[in-house]
Amino acid sequence: MRQLAIIPHAEAKITLFSWNGKYLIKLEKGPFEQTYKVSELDLTSEADVHLLLDDEFVQAAVQRFKGMQQDLQAAFDRHGI
């Protein structure tokens, strides 16, 4: 796996990798991460990946992180942990 870029963003760490014919877009926030795999054949260049990472996409991912936190906390609460 080869790291291509770290894409600065205020709300999440975004890292772009190339691996096995795919671009991997990894978003991290606290203890959570999301990884999206996009075939290199679906894009014309690495620049297209940057286009995918528009504000709407990143904001949806940030909302998903909030849902992940809520799901984990709910599981802790259900089991008294």
Side-chain angles (χ1 to χ4, degrees), residues 15-48:
T15 310
L16 177 62
F17 297 95
S18 176
W19 179 71
N20 204 20
K22 294 180 178 59
Y23 290 109
L24 278 68
I25 305 165
K26 182 177 176 182
L27 295 95
E28 299 174 81
K29 185 171 177 83
F32 302 105
E33 67 180 47
Q34 300 172 46
T35 301
Y36 297 84
K37 297 177 183 175
V38 180
S39 173
E40 290 178 354
L41 299 175
D42 291 340
L43 305 171
T44 57
S45 70
E46 181 183 325
D48 286 349

Side-chain angles (χ1 to χ4, degrees), residues 4-79:
L4 301 176
I6 294 175
I7 301 163
H9 197 279
E11 298 198 61
K13 178 181 178 187
I14 304 173
T15 310
L16 177 62
F17 297 95
S18 176
W19 179 71
N20 204 20
K22 294 180 178 59
Y23 290 109
L24 278 68
I25 305 165
K26 182 177 176 182
L27 295 95
E28 299 174 81
K29 185 171 177 83
F32 302 105
E33 67 180 47
Q34 300 172 46
T35 301
Y36 297 84
K37 297 177 183 175
V38 180
S39 173
E40 290 178 354
L41 299 175
D42 291 340
L43 305 171
T44 57
S45 70
E46 181 183 325
D48 286 349
V49 178
H50 293 266
L51 291 175
L52 292 176
L53 296 172
D54 62 11
D55 192 53
E56 187 175 342
F57 179 88
V58 175
Q59 287 306 311
V62 168
Q63 286 301 116
R64 200 165 293 111
F65 281 128
K66 291 176 184 176
M68 293 168 74
Q69 173 61 44
Q70 292 168 350
D71 293 343
L72 182 60
Q73 187 60 53
F76 271 91
D77 293 346
R78 276 194 308 276
H79 300 287

